[in-house]
Amino acid sequence: MRIDVLTTFPELFSPDPPAALAVSIPGRARRAGLVQINATDIRAYATDKHQKTDDRPFGGGPGMVMLCQPLWDAVNAVEAADTTPAKRILLTPQGTPLTQPLVEALAKEPRLLLIAGHYEGIDERVIERLAPLEISVGDYVLSGGELAAVVLIDALIRLLPGALGDEGSNQADSFSPATPEGLRLLDCPHYTRPREWMGVSVPDVLLGGDHAKVDAWRLDQKLARTARRRPDLLSRPMDPFP
Ligand code: ADE
């Protein structure tokens, strides 16, 4: 998979630690060639001598608005660098909420182009012309779309074949289909050694070696935890595009 990121902070997507996508599973996946992440500085497409990428909003008010032209030129140049068509995505708090089904759908795309916007905004005309899929990582405001892009990329990479040491371990994650009806549940509790810690023992069923019983216990725990913490997940299926 090829992921291009358009940003004014390309260093956040560096392949070298301590950048978030240079360590752990994303770092390994990049080094193994499962995903190519190219960050492009929108500023490089500014045409004025100060390399301006934003300006004050018409109508007044606080903050700055990203200019149409540098973003438009950057998208066109980056898209032209590879013949594989890119799915355009804009990270914005006004977008479709990011969920596991949406991550699963995007993980099948050969190429994504992520635009990290800034909350004060991007000139609406360039958004209309680019017509990206708009995605939000939650109902809160980040300083820019970069960290949202990092979240999306991390969630995507763990679904790429070969990204996890233990194939299939992503199927046991929270929000993966866990029942025959395809319900997406929160994960169950996990335990490791020692068997007893601070007077608290690991549940007996996990020590008995009966895999069918372990599976049944885990499903029970997932259902109970989901009912307690996120009853909404039990009442409606999760759509990639709600
Ligand atoms: N940019 C700022 N806040 C954001 C959010 N919650 N999701 C996606 N992009 C953002």
Side-chain angles (χ1 to χ4, degrees):
M1 170 183 257
R2 172 175 174 148
I3 302 177
D4 287 285
V5 187
L6 296 187
T7 170
T8 43
F9 300 97
E11 62 275 19
L12 286 171
F13 301 89
S14 160
D16 302 316
L21 296 170
V23 297
S24 184
I25 289 165
R28 271 202 306 275
R30 286 174 91 170
R31 290 190 294 277
L34 302 179
V35 59
Q36 290 82 44
I37 302 171
N38 307 304
T40 298
D41 193 346
I42 299 168
R43 205 171 292 285
Y45 293 86
T47 48
D48 77 316
K49 67 172 189 287
H50 303 293
Q51 292 199 294
K52 225 162 74 135
T53 58
D54 54 11
D55 207 338
R56 284 169 301 157
F58 280 124
M64 301 289 274
V65 177
M66 279 176 93
L67 298 165
C68 291
Q69 175 270 318
L71 181 57
W72 176 253
D73 288 349
V75 168
N76 284 297
V78 167
E79 285 186 352
D82 190 316
T83 50
T84 309
K87 182 161 189 68
R88 295 174 181 167
I89 294 173
L90 170 65
L91 285 310
T92 160
Q94 292 145 66
T96 300
L98 184 65
T99 57
Q100 194 65 19
L102 180 49
V103 177
E104 287 165 9
L106 295 176
K108 297 188 180 113
E109 297 282 341
R111 185 176 179 206
L112 302 175
L113 182 141
L114 309 185
I115 302 165
H118 282 260
Y119 181 58
E120 296 78 26
I122 297 177
D123 190 311
E124 191 67 18
R125 294 167 295 182
V126 70
I127 300 176
E128 280 170 10
R129 187 56 75 97
L130 291 171
L133 171 62
E134 299 186 35
I135 293 181
S136 163
V137 297
D139 291 341
Y140 46 82
V141 179
L142 300 167
S143 306
E146 283 78 10
L147 293 184
V150 168
V151 167
L152 172 57
I153 294 170
D154 183 286
L156 283 166
I157 285 178
R158 49 185 295 110
L159 297 185
L160 299 180
L164 301 184
D166 180 3
E167 267 336 283
S169 71
N170 60 22
Q171 266 117 305
D173 286 343
S174 288
F175 307 115
S176 294
T179 69
E181 306 79 47
L183 277 181
R184 292 171 180 267
L185 306 174
L186 300 185
D187 202 2
C188 56
H190 297 279
Y191 301 89
T192 185
R193 281 178 281 191
R195 283 178 176 222
E196 190 177 308
W197 184 73
M198 286 201 179
V200 184
S201 291
V202 170
D204 282 341
V205 61
L206 300 180
L207 305 172
D210 184 333
H211 294 297
K213 273 200 183 142
V214 170
D215 287 348
W217 178 86
R218 285 183 172 153
L219 179 56
D220 230 44
Q221 293 286 318
K222 289 179 184 190
L223 285 163
R225 186 171 268 196
T226 307
R228 240 180 1 257
R229 298 186 186 184
R230 292 289 307 277
D232 57 299
L233 293 176
L234 300 176
S235 58
R236 58 164 176 81
M238 257 173 146
D239 263 347
F241 304 99

